[in-house]
Amino acid sequence: MLLKLLALCLFTFLIYIPIAEARIRHYKWEVKYEYKSPDCYKKLVTTINGKSPGPTILAQEGDTVIVEVTNKLLLENLAIHWHGIRQTGTPWSDGTEGVTQCPVVPGDTFKYEFKVDRVRLYGSIRVSVPDNFTEPFAYDYDRSIILTDWYHKSTYEQATGLSSIPFVWVGEPQSLLIQGKGKFNCSSASLTADTCNTTNPECSPYAITVIPGKTYRLRVASLTALSALSFQIEGHNMTVVEADGHYVEPFVVKNLFIYSGETYSVLIKADQDPSRNYWMTTNVVSRPPNTTQGLGFLNYYPNHPRRSPPTVPPTGPIWNDTAPRLAQSLAIKAHHDFIVTPPTTSDRAIVFLNTQNRINGYVHWSVNNVSFTLPHTPYLIALKKKLHHVFSQTPPPEGYDFVNYDIYVSKNPNATTSNAIYRLGFNTTVDIILQNANTMKANDSETHPWHLHGHDFWVLGYGEGKFDMNKDPKNYNLVNPIMKNTVPLHPYGWTALRFKADNPGAWLFHCHIEAHFYMGMGVVFEEGINKVGELPSSIMGCGETKGFGKP
C-alpha cells in the first residue's frame, strides 16, 4: 500500500487563491475502496472522499496545510507521501512508511501537517505564486492533466508474483488513462456488460475545452506504476516552460516524454481549425508496447466535447528509440532569469549501479549489488531515539568495480539484502551518479525514474555508456542546470545529480517504478538528525516504537 499511496497522493491539487496573509487550511479525508470503471472495466479502486483522482486542496505560499486522514480500507495499512513537498522542519509528515512513520492502521486517523514554505509549482500538487510575482511566460488559462497506467490485477496479486519462485512479472498495464479516463477493449476478453461496459460515462474520453486563439498552460504529471510515456496533441506543438516546479528555458516539442513522478508545464496555442476537435494521445515508450494508447480530446469551443476528431489518432514515437528521449533530457535547462547556481564542487560522490539480481532464487533489483529492505522500526524514529540495533550499521557500498564491470553484459551475481543507510554530513554537498546496466535478460536495459524525498537536486548531466569519474565531471553543467526532484536514468546510460544535505531527517531515494522499488531499488539518506525536533507520538506504534509516546 505504501507504493500505491505514493501515487495516490499526487492526485491532490494545491491551487492559488488570493489572500493577504498565511493561514491554516484544514481538511478531512476518508480513504476507502469503491468500485469504479475508469477504463470501462469495473474494479476496486482506492478513493479519497469517494473520488479518484482525489479532492482539491487550496493553498498559497506560507500556508499551513493540515490533512486528517482516516484509513477505512479495512484490511490494509496506508501512508500518504506528498510528492514534491520538501517537509522542511516536518520530516515526520513526509508520509513514507518505514522511513518517517509507522503506517496508519485500519480504523485509525493520522494528521499530516506541513507548511508550504516557498513559491513552487508542483505539477499536480500546485502552490500558487504571490500576486506581485510575474512568471516568465504568459497564458490565458491553466489546466491539469494526470497520466497514469492502469492494471486490473490487485496489488496483492502483483506483489505475490514478484515474490514468487518462479518469478511472475506484473506485465504491461491494461490501459493508459488521461485524467482518470481510458478505454479497455471489453471484447478482448470474455467479460459481461456488468464487468466491462464501454458505454459507461465513467470511461468517456477526457476533454479539455479551449477557446480559439487563446494560450493554455497544461500542467502534465505522470503517476504511472511502470510506464514511461509520450504525450502529444494532434496538430499542436508544445512549449516546455517548467519541470518539477522550476522554470526552464523554453523549448518546443511535438512529443513530451514523461516518466513516473515527473511534472511539466507546457504552453499550447489554440490556433488550429476551430471547426473540429483534436486528439490527445499518450503511448508507452522504453518498453515493448502491449497497451492501447490513451486517448482524450482537445475540444475547440463550441464543438461538442464528445465529438470525435475526424482523423485517426496519431501514432506515438518509436518505443525503443532512446535518442529523442535523451535529447529532451539534455534540453532541459534553468530559465535564464531563474538560475540557482550549484556549488562548484562536492564534498562526496556516490555511484549507484542499477542492476537486476537473484537472491536465494528470488528476483530483485539492487543498487551496488545490495537490494534494499525496510526495517520494522521507521528510520526517523530509530535515529532520533538512538535505536541503532534495529537496522544494519554496516555502511552500504558507495560504488562498484568500475574497472571490470561490463554494463552491457547480462550478469547474475548473487546480491545481498540490507537495510543500512547512507549517513550524510549536514550541509555538505553530495553528488549522486546513477549508472544503468544490463538486466538479467540479454541486450536489455530499462529506464529508471529516480525520486528524492525532502530535496530538489541539480541535474548536472546525462551520458551514454559507463560513467568515467575522471573525464565526465569535467563536462558537468554548472552554469544553468535545472533543479528537479525526479529524473530519468536512460538505458545503458548515466545521470549525475548534486544536492545539499540541508534538510534534517531521513529521506528516501528510490526508483519510482512501483515494482522496482518493491523489489529493492532504493536507498535512504540521513542528515542532521540531531537537528530534528521532537517527534510526534502519532508516527509511532510499530516495531520497537510500540508504547512510545503513551503515558
Side-chain angles (χ1 to χ4, degrees), residues 63-310:
D63 286 355
T64 295
V65 174
I66 299 175
V67 183
E68 293 185 48
V69 181
T70 300
N71 180 2
K72 292 197 171 182
L73 293 173
L74 300 179
L75 300 175
E76 298 182 61
N77 298 333
L78 81 86
I80 296 183
H81 167 58
W82 309 89
H83 185 107
I85 301 291
R86 293 183 304 163
Q87 299 294 350
T88 303
T90 53
W92 46 81
S93 282
D94 189 53
T96 314
E97 178 185 342
V99 179
T100 61
Q101 70 169 94
C102 291
V104 185
V105 299
D108 276 7
T109 297
F110 185 87
K111 182 174 74 173
Y112 290 100
E113 181 173 347
F114 54 89
K115 188 175 182 180
V116 180
D117 61 348
R118 61 174 173 168
V119 176
R120 279 294 305 271
L121 303 169
Y122 298 108
S124 293
I125 299 181
R126 292 166 50 183
V127 181
S128 73
V129 298
D131 296 330
N132 60 355
F133 181 83
T134 301
E135 294 188 281
F137 46 84
Y139 54 94
D140 299 299
Y141 299 101
D142 193 335
R143 301 289 184 267
S144 294
I145 297 175
I146 296 174
L147 306 177
T148 53
D149 50 12
W150 195 250
Y151 286 85
H152 292 170
K153 285 187 176 180
S154 70
T155 304
Y156 294 119
E157 292 174 285
Q158 295 181 41
T160 299
L162 296 175
S163 305
S164 296
I165 299 178
F167 175 73
V168 181
W169 176 236
V170 298
E172 300 304 307
Q174 279 64 62
S175 302
L176 299 178
L177 308 184
I178 299 178
Q179 200 61 20
K181 291 176 175 287
K183 187 137 304 191
F184 179 67
N185 183 4
C186 295
S187 63
S188 63
S190 300
L191 301 171
T192 64
D194 182 61
T195 302
C196 196
N197 183 358
T198 56
T199 64
N200 189 330
E202 279 189 64
C203 57
S204 59
Y206 176 69
I208 291 180
T209 300
V210 297
I211 300 171
K214 299 297 184 181
T215 297
Y216 288 79
R217 177 186 191 163
L218 305 182
R219 303 177 192 259
V220 187
S222 172
L223 304 182
T224 55
L226 171 67
S227 308
L229 299 175
S230 69
F231 174 74
Q232 65 177 309
I233 301 175
E234 178 192 13
H236 296 72
N237 287 331
M238 295 177 284
T239 302
V240 181
V241 294
E242 174 262 324
D244 283 4
H246 291 273
Y247 299 122
V248 308
E249 200 63 30
F251 64 97
V252 177
V253 297
K254 176 184 176 183
N255 285 287
L256 177 69
F257 296 106
I258 186 168
Y259 307 90
S260 179
E262 283 194 312
T263 65
Y264 289 96
S265 286
V266 298
L267 301 181
I268 65 165
K269 182 75 176 289
D271 57 2
Q272 298 300 300
D273 178 3
S275 67
R276 51 160 293 192
N277 291 337
Y278 296 83
W279 293 106
M280 295 190 297
T281 64
T282 185
N283 295 77
V284 172
V285 294
S286 189
R287 302 184 62 83
N290 193 30
T291 306
T292 303
Q293 66 182 162
L295 299 175
F297 298 155
L298 187 70
N299 165 229
Y300 269 68
Y301 181 83
N303 296 296
H304 194 283
R306 292 192 181 180
R307 180 184 176 188
S308 184

